[in-house]
Amino acid sequence: MMDRRKKLVSLVALLTISTMLVSCGDSSVGTVDVPENAVAKASAAKTVDSVPEKEADAEETISEEVDTKEADAEEAVAEEELASKNMLSVKSPEYSDITNLRTQNNDDGTYYYEDMMEDGLTVITNMCYVNSQRDGQDMDAYAENIVCAQVNSDARITGSEQDDELSATLTYPVFKVDYESGGNEDTKQAVGVVILTDNFTYYYGYECPIDYFEDNQEFYEEELKKIELITLDGSSDAAGEDFATAYLEKIIEYDKEKIADSFALIYANSSGIPYLAAVNSEGPLEENGNAHLFSISNGTINEIMSVSSGYDGNHIYVSAASNTVLQTSGMSGTEIFDLYAFNGKELEGIKELQAVYDMEDDSYKYYDGTIELTEEEYTEVFEESIIKNNPYTGIDFDGLNMVNIMVIDGSTDFETDSTQKYMSFDEMKKQLLDLGAQE
């Protein structure tokens, strides 16, 4: 009852006010006839119209928030992936004549290189592993553990201390470790350094038979003082070159002009600065070649070799062990091997070996340049100049093949160790951007 009376009183009051307004109206003010419920309809229409606008604004705001969150999430994932990938490499002093014994490059950027020096006695180990330091474990104890667990499982530590000079130079804790391994006439002695960064551990060291170690110890320790840490995106002072941006410009050019559709970065010689391979997967025999190899020098990209891959035995091989590039060619059974040294800017020819098939005699003649060799002499020269640089990565239009090149009974044999697929343009572009390329 109380609610009804309130409503009735309100209605009477409204009618009274309306009557007073009409009777008190000023004749100088024109009256405006307002259709019944027009104001209410207009108000309702305005309210109805505003609903879609508010809904649209809300949807747009939600969409922007979603896009922002997705972008932030993608950026966080990209940063996490980049943080979990090794971006550094130990750059060793330059050696003109080394033989690769083992090469291993992993997807997370970790690596393992083992090389034999020219003396045939000294083995150089250059490796990177993901940190495995336990909570509470001292850095010096961790450095010793890395040597025993990863470098040489037979190692017996004979000395370990922090190298203050290298720690200051490399801006990371560096520990010098001495160890022995093996026994009797096979006993070896070694010295190396363990470098501890936030996420990765590096080891670089020299090992040789114990009887020769004392004569070489001073050389090894002086060489260790020369090592550098370089970043794999080429941005450090040591690298001094931004390969990622230059390579990005090249792949964009080749993609736009339909010259190449498959790409790869080839890390070799522990340099930290890769080659760029660009190929046309269809394999046409173009005048300018369908397989191209690029290098970088002072921020400038250089095409150091191109061939029509597969035509008349044409192939490009990059040595994982030394600064050399090998081109093979030949036809009608003839094999030609042109070996080049890469000086950081261009290739310099250092060896030309030929096995020429003589159809009349149904036999081969062998040459070192213009000098004819016997089969035995040819095999020896081949081993000294080409085989010692195994393994090689072949730049072929159908894939990257890591091979060991051998000579068996006067004939060349290519033993495939592994095959890696090329990246598409979009995949390579993303990788270069992740490495710091600027568009």
Side-chain angles (χ1 to χ4, degrees):
M1 291 295 292
M2 290 296 293
D3 291 340
R4 285 183 178 178
R5 279 200 287 273
K6 285 181 180 179
K7 290 181 180 178
L8 182 59
V9 170
S10 299
L11 181 58
V12 172
L14 285 171
L15 290 172
T16 303
I17 292 170
S18 300
T19 303
M20 290 174 63
L21 287 172
V22 172
S23 61
C24 294
D26 188 348
S27 60
S28 63
V29 179
T31 58
V32 179
D33 295 329
V34 180
E36 184 181 1
N37 293 327
V39 174
K41 289 180 179 178
S43 177
K46 184 175 181 181
T47 302
V48 172
D49 288 344
S50 66
V51 170
E53 292 177 3
K54 289 180 179 179
E55 290 179 349
D57 291 342
E59 290 177 359
E60 184 176 352
T61 301
I62 293 172
S63 177
E64 289 176 354
E65 290 177 353
V66 171
D67 290 343
T68 301
K69 289 180 179 179
E70 289 180 351
D72 290 343
E74 290 177 0
E75 185 176 352
V77 170
E79 290 178 354
E80 184 177 348
E81 289 178 351
L82 198 59
S84 65
K85 185 178 179 66
N86 171 49
M87 301 299 292
L88 295 174
S89 174
V90 177
K91 184 178 186 297
S92 67
E94 294 291 339
Y95 301 116
S96 60
D97 198 355
I98 60 174
T99 301
N100 180 252
L101 303 177
R102 179 183 169 190
T103 294
Q104 179 180 333
N105 291 294
N106 305 312
D107 292 338
D108 61 358
T110 57
Y111 60 83
Y112 187 98
Y113 296 101
E114 197 173 276
D115 301 295
M116 176 77 76
M117 294 190 69
E118 187 177 10
D119 61 12
L121 301 170
T122 303
V123 174
I124 304 172
T125 301
N126 183 357
M127 53 148 274
C128 167
Y129 280 91
V130 176
N131 279 355
S132 58
Q133 188 174 4
R134 299 188 302 273
D135 292 339
Q137 185 179 21
D138 293 335
M139 286 190 292
D140 55 349
Y142 173 66
E144 294 179 11
N145 183 65
I146 276 291
V147 170
C148 296
Q150 304 290 2
V151 181
N152 190 324
S153 60
D154 192 33
R156 301 182 295 275
I157 305 299
T158 57
S160 175
E161 63 178 353
Q162 183 162 358
D163 189 314
D164 295 331
E165 184 178 344
L166 265 180
S167 295
T169 301
L170 302 182
T171 69
Y172 290 106
V174 179
F175 289 83
K176 177 186 171 187
V177 180
D178 298 272
Y179 70 87
E180 293 180 3
S181 63
N184 300 322
E185 68 274 7
D186 294 326
T187 302
K188 293 181 173 59
Q189 192 165 346
V191 59
V193 293
V194 177
I195 307 165
L196 307 179
T197 67
D198 295 336
N199 299 315
F200 296 90
T201 300
Y202 305 83
Y203 174 84
Y204 186 91
Y206 301 85
E207 180 187 78
C208 77
I210 193 169
D211 293 340
Y212 297 91
F213 185 82
E214 186 175 350
D215 293 336
N216 291 296
Q217 184 174 5
E218 183 177 352
F219 167 76
Y220 297 153
E221 294 187 353
E222 286 300 317
E223 291 296 276
L224 287 173
K225 295 178 182 179
K226 301 177 184 177
I227 65 172
E228 303 173 74
L229 270 181
I230 59 175
T231 56
L232 297 181
D233 65 357
S235 62
S236 72
D237 292 337
E241 298 154 348
D242 182 8
F243 73 80
T245 297
Y247 284 173
L248 179 59
E249 292 175 355
K250 179 55 65 174
I251 71 166
I252 289 174
E253 173 194 340
Y254 269 30
D255 178 69
K256 182 178 180 180
E257 298 182 4
K258 308 299 181 185
I259 297 175
D261 57 10
S262 303
F263 306 90
L265 296 180
I266 302 174
Y267 289 91
N269 318 316
S270 305
S271 68
I273 306 297
Y275 295 97
L276 170 67
V279 303
N280 189 321
S281 62
E282 295 181 0
L285 303 179
E286 299 174 355
E287 181 179 351
N288 294 325
N290 63 341
H292 310 266
L293 186 66
F294 299 91
S295 69
I296 193 82
S297 177
N298 298 323
T300 302
I301 191 170
N302 304 299
E303 181 170 5
I304 58 176
M305 185 176 289
S306 65
V307 300
S308 289
S309 175
Y311 177 70
D312 283 345
N314 284 346
H315 297 282
I316 301 174
Y317 293 96
V318 175
S319 169
S322 64
N323 293 318
T324 55
V325 176
L326 178 67
Q327 180 182 353
T328 64
S329 58
M331 58 189 301
S332 301
T334 295
E335 295 180 334
I336 301 174
F337 299 87
D338 291 309
L339 187 66
Y340 300 87
F342 181 57
N343 62 17
K345 296 182 180 180
E346 58 187 5
L347 297 178
E348 300 175 350
I350 57 175
K351 183 66 69 174
E352 180 185 347
L353 298 178
Q354 297 184 44
V356 182
Y357 179 64
D358 189 328
M359 289 187 291
E360 293 184 1
D361 294 340
D362 190 24
S363 62
Y364 278 90
K365 292 183 178 180
Y366 302 95
Y367 297 89
D368 178 359
T370 58
I371 301 173
E372 187 170 355
L373 306 174
T374 65
E375 181 180 321
E376 291 75 16
E377 290 172 334
Y378 178 81
T379 300
E380 183 178 349
V381 174
F382 199 99
E383 289 177 349
E384 292 176 352
S385 59
I386 295 176
I387 293 177
K388 75 171 185 178
N389 295 315
N390 281 329
Y392 292 88
T393 298
I395 316 302
D396 298 314
F397 68 87
D398 57 350
L400 292 165
N401 299 305
M402 182 167 282
V403 301
N404 287 295
I405 304 176
M406 311 295 291
V407 173
I408 301 175
D409 296 329
S411 298
T412 309
D413 180 67
F414 294 82
E415 180 184 69
T416 302
D417 182 62
S418 62
T419 299
Q420 177 185 340
K421 292 183 178 179
Y422 284 100
M423 290 187 178
S424 67
F425 168 77
D426 290 335
E427 291 171 331
M428 178 54 66
K429 180 179 179 180
K430 181 180 183 303
Q431 182 176 4
L432 292 172
L433 289 173
D434 288 344
L435 289 171
Q438 303 296 315
E439 287 191 275

